[in-house]
Amino acid sequence: MVPRITALISYSSFVNMFPSLSVVIPTYNRPNQLATVLDRVLSSEISDIPDIEVIVVDDGSPESAESIVNGKAALDEKISFRCITQPNSGPAAARNNGFSHSVNEIVLFVDDDVLLDPKTIMRHLTVHRSIPNCVVFGPCPYVIPESESPAYRYLKLLDSSYGSELTDDLNRVNIVASGNLSVQRSMFINTGVYRTDLKTPAAEEFEFEHRLHSADVPIYLCRSAVAWHLQPATIKDKCIQEFKYGIGAAEILSKFPQIIENEHLLRIIRANDLIRLRDGPRVALKKSLKQCLSHPIIRCSLVKGADALQKLVPYDPLLFSVFRFLCGLHLFAGVRTGLRTYTHGNTAAG
């Protein structure tokens, strides 16, 4: 069933329910990180919140997360903890499952590899109290390492450039990021938040954005609602992320051609799909070069080469150009893979 956004509740009734909170954490096979994530929830500044529940949805991990969750439950009587187990179905299904078991009006989705800043929970609640009937998300920068590598500095630059034109802490935007995102439960009570028939996380986010825009639901980026990303700040991991993002863009376009009105998605597809008549010589040459280099073995070798290069020649301007090219190459490969998988190379962007 396609999730729909239900009728919005009144401001007065919303204020009466505020500020109780449900935290939903989907997890798969990350027991040590999950324990750290839960510790950060426990150390959040939540003394003014009358009711908090934490729902961990174990998405079919080989070793159940229940013992970890139960161990945290004894640390704070104010917070209730539950662990729900489901067959492996992906993060969208896990988030919806946790959402369906939640009882509080504000639901905060937190990934199992991010650490909430102590003030982040209250930042989310403050926005919802000020602006009912909206969706809020915060940034997820990488945890600062003991020693900064060129790769970390490059990824940090990408994080800082996102929203760099924004001058306020709270800004209305046109995209969502699900790792640190809150919604108003009554808006999605009947059907859940995410579609579960999309295979790649990027695809489900594109669809969620489209549905929010269609219903004229405002999306806000709260820059101070930070959750620190625990995954290693490496070019390899960033390239894998870009590859999956490309697949997701192609999948959502193939299944929902009407979403092509999304300008961001359209730019991604047009820059990385098959060579078209509209492409000038430079674009066609660029696509041809990426096509030659996009074979998995070649891409893997290039990433390994870049990793070795940053240790031998730690010169940021040179390395940043290499990193940028590799990320673009993996996005290209992901789009092409997605088009072959879902549309056999044909796209509505043509």
Side-chain angles (χ1 to χ4, degrees), residues 8-20:
L8 307 182
I9 64 175
S10 69
Y11 179 80
S12 58
S13 61
F14 175 77
V15 170
N16 291 334
M17 286 182 279
F18 179 83
S20 296

Side-chain angles (χ1 to χ4, degrees), residues 15-47:
V15 170
N16 291 334
M17 286 182 279
F18 179 83
S20 296
L21 175 79
S22 298
V23 180
V24 173
I25 305 174
T27 188
Y28 176 76
N29 203 28
R30 285 176 173 164
N32 294 332
Q33 286 192 3
L34 175 63
T36 305
V37 170
L38 293 176
D39 285 339
R40 289 301 287 265
V41 174
L42 286 165
S43 64
S44 296
E45 297 180 4
I46 52 178
S47 59

Side-chain angles (χ1 to χ4, degrees), residues 128-201:
H128 283 287
R129 186 175 190 179
S130 302
I131 312 172
N133 307 319
C134 70
V135 170
V136 183
F137 73 98
C140 295
Y142 288 92
V143 170
I144 301 172
E146 293 183 3
S147 177
E148 290 190 5
S149 66
Y152 170 78
R153 289 193 291 271
Y154 175 70
L155 297 176
K156 181 181 178 181
L157 181 65
L158 292 184
D159 284 337
S160 62
S161 64
Y162 171 70
S164 58
E165 74 283 0
L166 305 177
T167 57
D168 299 325
D169 180 56
L170 184 64
N171 302 271
R172 186 164 178 174
V173 295
N174 295 319
I175 64 172
V176 295
S178 299
N180 171 21
L181 178 144
S182 60
V183 301
Q184 198 169 314
R185 186 171 179 271
S186 55
M187 296 171 65
F188 305 93
I189 188 64
N190 293 326
T191 56
V193 178
Y194 293 93
R195 288 189 67 109
T196 58
D197 57 348
L198 298 169
K199 296 183 180 298
T200 46

Side-chain angles (χ1 to χ4, degrees), residues 121-328:
I121 287 178
M122 286 304 300
R123 300 290 190 195
H124 279 275
L125 291 177
T126 299
V127 176
H128 283 287
R129 186 175 190 179
S130 302
I131 312 172
N133 307 319
C134 70
V135 170
V136 183
F137 73 98
C140 295
Y142 288 92
V143 170
I144 301 172
E146 293 183 3
S147 177
E148 290 190 5
S149 66
Y152 170 78
R153 289 193 291 271
Y154 175 70
L155 297 176
K156 181 181 178 181
L157 181 65
L158 292 184
D159 284 337
S160 62
S161 64
Y162 171 70
S164 58
E165 74 283 0
L166 305 177
T167 57
D168 299 325
D169 180 56
L170 184 64
N171 302 271
R172 186 164 178 174
V173 295
N174 295 319
I175 64 172
V176 295
S178 299
N180 171 21
L181 178 144
S182 60
V183 301
Q184 198 169 314
R185 186 171 179 271
S186 55
M187 296 171 65
F188 305 93
I189 188 64
N190 293 326
T191 56
V193 178
Y194 293 93
R195 288 189 67 109
T196 58
D197 57 348
L198 298 169
K199 296 183 180 298
T200 46
E204 70 201 28
E205 288 190 346
F206 275 123
E207 192 280 331
F208 187 39
E209 292 169 15
H210 178 72
R211 192 157 25 96
L212 292 174
H213 295 322
S214 299
D216 198 27
V217 174
I219 306 169
Y220 286 93
L221 166 64
C222 182
R223 299 168 77 182
S224 60
V226 177
W228 296 94
H229 206 289
L230 279 171
Q231 295 307 313
T234 66
I235 288 303
K236 178 181 178 181
D237 284 289
K238 182 61 176 177
C239 286
I240 292 173
Q241 183 184 40
E242 291 296 307
F243 181 75
K244 293 179 179 178
Y245 195 77
I247 293 176
E251 179 186 3
I252 191 63
L253 179 61
S254 69
K255 294 181 177 179
F256 300 95
Q258 67 273 20
I259 209 172
I260 197 62
E261 65 191 48
N262 183 311
E263 294 183 3
H264 180 215
L265 177 62
L266 179 60
R267 286 196 301 270
I268 292 173
I269 296 296
R270 283 188 169 177
N272 297 288
D273 67 355
L274 301 177
I275 296 175
R276 305 288 180 176
L277 292 176
R278 65 168 183 270
D279 295 332
R282 182 178 179 181
V283 173
L285 179 61
K286 190 174 181 179
K287 286 184 177 181
S288 297
L289 176 61
K290 286 185 176 181
Q291 180 64 42
C292 294
L293 298 176
S294 63
H295 188 279
I297 295 178
I298 297 176
R299 285 189 282 117
C300 181
S301 299
L302 290 173
V303 171
K304 289 181 178 178
D307 188 53
L309 182 63
Q310 72 174 324
K311 297 173 184 176
L312 295 172
V313 188
Y315 179 59
D316 286 1
L318 170 64
L319 291 170
F320 286 9
S321 296
V322 174
F323 296 157
R324 190 178 304 109
F325 173 77
L326 288 176
C327 290

Side-chain angles (χ1 to χ4, degrees), residues 65-77:
E66 188 171 6
S67 61
I68 296 173
V69 177
N70 290 340
K72 302 301 178 184
L75 299 179
D76 192 326
E77 296 181 354

